[in-house]
Amino acid sequence: MRRAVLAGAAVLLVVVAVIEWPAEAVDFADRLAPPSAAHLLGTDQLGRDVLARVLGGVRYSLGLGLLALAVAVSVGTASGLASGWWPRHPLARGTQALVDVLVALPALLVGLVVAAVLGSGLVPALLAIVVTGWAPFARQAHRLTVAVRGEEWVLAATALGAGPRRLLRHHVLPAVASPLLASIAARFAGTVLTLAGLSFLGLGIQPPTPEWGAMLAEGRTYVFVAPWLVVAPAAALVASTLALGCIAARPGVLTDRS
């Protein structure tokens, strides 16, 4: 049942992200129009439909956030598995030292530094999220690997002649995947907020792209004239992070096989 609900939500997300919403259609004759039957969430300073822009922003705020998270999970898991399996290797020790530093620093602060060095735009924002996002998964994968490598079934596979690659791929990785999967939803919420924060500060996705953080940055100038320009993207951010938080609070939702 839970898997069916998640599958339905994923399909809905894909549909919303794939459909070409008229987010860039400009109508200067209908600027800053309040919510109405024609425009359910009103229009912005260029006459663009706010609802269309909020829905079009799904592919940027959630879609790109998911892409960056996938890269961070892959990098973090791979480095954590390697450092956990060969903990005394100098490279493993260096990796864990770097992980300790990155985990101790606020993700948004590190993202701001990376984005400021690389410049503003989509690619620097995604790289900033990957730089800040891989460390927690690397630490978790490292700890899980260290705990698993001494189990009897791993020792038995080693005695039967299984090499390190086969052990990591077919024995250790499936054992650590479930706990890692359970933490992805919580990290996803943080990734969405980090991407929105970078865009809001002008270091991430730039206007007129309908990304929720960029929409907030554009709308704050008109907050007293057209408050819906801020309320709509803010509500989308809050709703998405709350939904992901609810999933993260119930780890069995992601790992349940029923």
Side-chain angles (χ1 to χ4, degrees), residues 28 31-33 43-48 50 200 214-231:
F28 291 105
R31 296 174 61 253
L32 300 177
T43 62
D44 64 4
Q45 69 277 9
L46 299 178
R48 298 171 296 189
V50 175
F200 179 79
M215 291 177 63
L216 283 171
E218 284 187 297
R220 62 181 175 176
T221 306
Y222 306 91
V223 63
F224 296 109
V225 178
W228 54 87
L229 297 183
V230 173
V231 172

Side-chain angles (χ1 to χ4, degrees), residues 164-178:
R165 291 185 180 180
R166 181 175 179 82
L167 285 170
L168 289 174
R169 182 182 302 176
H170 297 286
H171 298 279
V172 178
L173 180 58
V176 305
S178 181

Side-chain angles (χ1 to χ4, degrees), residues 9 20 23 39 129 149 152 190 220 254:
E20 290 291 339
H39 303 284
I129 293 174
R149 66 194 300 264
E152 294 182 357
R220 62 181 175 176
L254 291 176

Side-chain angles (χ1 to χ4, degrees), residues 170-248:
H170 297 286
H171 298 279
V172 178
L173 180 58
V176 305
S178 181
L180 287 173
L181 183 63
S183 64
I184 286 179
R187 299 294 178 186
F188 189 16
T191 299
V192 172
L193 290 176
T194 301
L195 179 60
L198 292 174
S199 298
F200 179 79
L201 295 174
L203 295 174
I205 300 174
Q206 302 296 307
T209 303
E211 193 275 333
W212 295 337
M215 291 177 63
L216 283 171
E218 284 187 297
R220 62 181 175 176
T221 306
Y222 306 91
V223 63
F224 296 109
V225 178
W228 54 87
L229 297 183
V230 173
V231 172
L237 270 174
V238 171
S240 60
T241 52
L242 284 179
L244 292 169
C246 290
I247 296 175

